[in-house]
Amino acid sequence: MTKNKKLNAAHSISLGIVLSNVLMWPFNTAHAEDNKQNNAAGTALQECRVIKTDAERLQCYDLVAKQFAPPTYKGKLGSVTEPFTLKMPHKIRYRSYGFIFVLYVLDSDNNIVQNLHLGGRGEDEYIIEVPGTYSLRIDGSAGWEIWLEPLEDS
């Protein structure tokens, strides 16, 4: 093999490794985030386990379950959910990972019931008090998560 062919082969291998790492970066980042979340959930569960009274231990487990529950909806950028029916009041908890996040709560006729937004990363919530059929329109600049949680005192 000539010197130029050896150099070209070495460059091709190096470029392949770099491209492979770049293409795998989102997967590796997501995997690391999942591990971090799983470790935090495990730690929280262990803390609940040592609580002596049944009522306090159950309350702790309920809080951990709520805190680490997977989102009802998760995505990036814009999306519209399928219509869903609520038979009781619900809390919409929403989290944005980008600098722009707008959430429209729509009724069954696609009228805007509520316009919610976050300026920057963060989390907030809104209560849907009236049972009915709704959908959500999301416009975000990055990833987001949304939870639909029945109100506990309903």
Side-chain angles (χ1 to χ4, degrees):
M1 194 181 263
T2 67
K3 185 177 179 180
N4 282 341
K5 286 185 181 180
K6 287 181 184 177
L7 284 175
N8 286 338
H11 287 307
S12 294
I13 291 170
S14 296
L15 181 59
I17 291 170
V18 168
L19 285 175
S20 172
N21 286 337
V22 167
L23 293 174
M24 291 299 292
W25 180 79
F27 173 78
N28 291 337
T29 302
H31 186 68
E33 194 61 36
D34 286 345
N35 283 339
K36 183 178 172 183
Q37 184 84 345
N38 288 340
N39 290 340
T43 299
L45 287 171
Q46 290 299 328
E47 290 172 1
C48 292
R49 240 179 118 201
V50 299
I51 296 173
K52 300 294 181 206
T53 65
D54 290 344
E56 289 176 354
R57 188 171 51 257
L58 179 59
Q59 184 178 16
C60 181
Y61 281 133
D62 285 347
L63 184 63
V64 170
K66 185 176 175 181
Q67 180 180 1
F68 291 99
T72 309
Y73 302 105
K74 181 177 184 174
K76 292 181 180 175
L77 307 176
S79 184
V80 177
T81 69
E82 292 293 322
F84 54 89
T85 301
L86 303 178
K87 296 183 186 278
M88 64 180 65
H90 274 62
K91 178 192 318 180
I92 297 178
R93 187 165 50 96
Y94 50 98
R95 179 181 302 148
S96 171
Y97 296 101
F99 56 91
I100 296 172
F101 178 83
V102 180
L103 172 61
Y104 300 93
V105 179
L106 307 172
D107 66 14
S108 59
D109 295 323
N110 285 324
N111 295 313
I112 297 172
V113 174
Q114 186 66 41
N115 174 359
L116 307 161
H117 64 277
L118 291 171
R121 293 176 59 107
E123 185 172 319
D124 206 350
E125 57 190 47
Y126 170 75
I127 305 295
I128 296 179
E129 295 182 11
V130 179
T133 300
Y134 298 92
S135 61
L136 304 174
R137 188 173 89 202
I138 303 102
D139 294 316
S141 63
W144 46 264
E145 297 172 322
I146 299 170
W147 293 262
L148 289 176
E149 302 169 343
L151 289 182
E152 295 167 7
D153 56 355
S154 296

